[in-house]
Amino acid sequence: MRLIAGFLLGAMLALPAAARPLTSEEETGLAQSMDLYLRAIGSGNAERIVKGIPPRILNIFAGTAGIEAKNLEKTLIDQTAAMMAGSRFSDIAADRAALDAGDAVLADGTAVTWVVVPTAFTAETGGARTRNAQPMLALREGDRWYFVRIDGDQQKQMVTIAYPFLSEVRFPAATVTPVQ
């Protein structure tokens, strides 16, 4: 993993731009993609959830797990489905008011637009209910939006390996509150 991470960090230097409002096209595309993604979480659709992960992140998963990239998607779908089997998610919401976008171009020439979207949901597992608030990183590469939840240091590290320009971004803290 260290070899892969070192290579990715060295190969994908980026030049970020200042924050800006989303264009109407970006806002519409983000809203449609995020609605599909959040509905997938609510319905437990593991396949759609995994398809929402950026390919650069999937490549890091493959390297970390020692799984061939062609087998990774099925493995992640199975793991996600198993994890979600014992939980129910409801009241899923994203706050899209006043989002600021950032732009960067990776060393390979890929243009990336990114936005941090505050999200919240209620999770019920084993009879215990919690209200969760966490930032969702939305990344647009080409004409497609991808999503990564940022609920701790592990996700932040993974994201900054794939997208080094995010290394200085301060993500809001994720919170979990018991619900009666």
Side-chain angles (χ1 to χ4, degrees):
M1 167 61 186
R2 289 184 189 169
L3 180 62
I4 291 170
F7 173 78
L8 287 172
L9 281 172
M12 298 192 317
L13 298 174
L15 303 170
R20 62 170 177 77
L22 289 167
T23 66
S24 61
E25 177 189 345
E26 290 168 336
E27 195 170 344
T28 298
L30 174 61
Q32 291 171 346
S33 296
M34 182 158 268
D35 287 348
L36 286 172
Y37 187 76
L38 295 177
R39 277 196 303 266
I41 292 170
S43 67
N45 186 332
E47 184 174 348
R48 185 170 297 276
I49 292 168
V50 171
K51 287 189 183 299
I53 300 171
R56 292 174 194 275
I57 300 289
L58 291 175
N59 289 336
I60 294 168
F61 282 151
T64 302
I67 298 172
E68 290 182 39
K70 65 181 182 181
N71 298 326
L72 177 66
E73 189 172 305
K74 181 179 177 352
T75 300
L76 284 177
I77 290 169
D78 292 346
Q79 289 176 351
T80 301
M83 179 191 76
M84 295 184 81
S87 300
R88 198 178 100 227
F89 299 90
S90 60
D91 304 319
I92 302 168
D95 181 0
R96 294 188 205 111
L99 296 177
D100 287 325
D103 297 298
V105 178
L106 296 171
D108 67 2
T110 302
V112 178
T113 299
W114 59 276
V115 180
V116 177
V117 182
T119 61
F121 59 92
T122 300
E124 185 173 344
T125 305
R129 293 181 59 201
T130 58
R131 185 70 182 160
N132 301 265
Q134 57 188 222
M136 179 78 66
L137 177 63
L139 298 146
R140 182 180 178 187
E141 291 189 48
D143 62 353
R144 178 129 187 247
W145 285 96
Y146 299 96
F147 304 99
V148 180
R149 66 184 170 83
I150 307 293
D151 66 356
D153 289 338
Q154 184 176 1
Q155 285 86 5
K156 169 93 190 245
Q157 290 170 355
M158 182 101 41
V159 163
T160 58
I161 291 169
Y163 302 96
F165 57 86
L166 295 171
S167 65
E168 299 302 317
V169 172
R170 296 186 143 220
F171 293 96
T175 61
V176 178
T177 307
V179 176
Q180 298 299 336

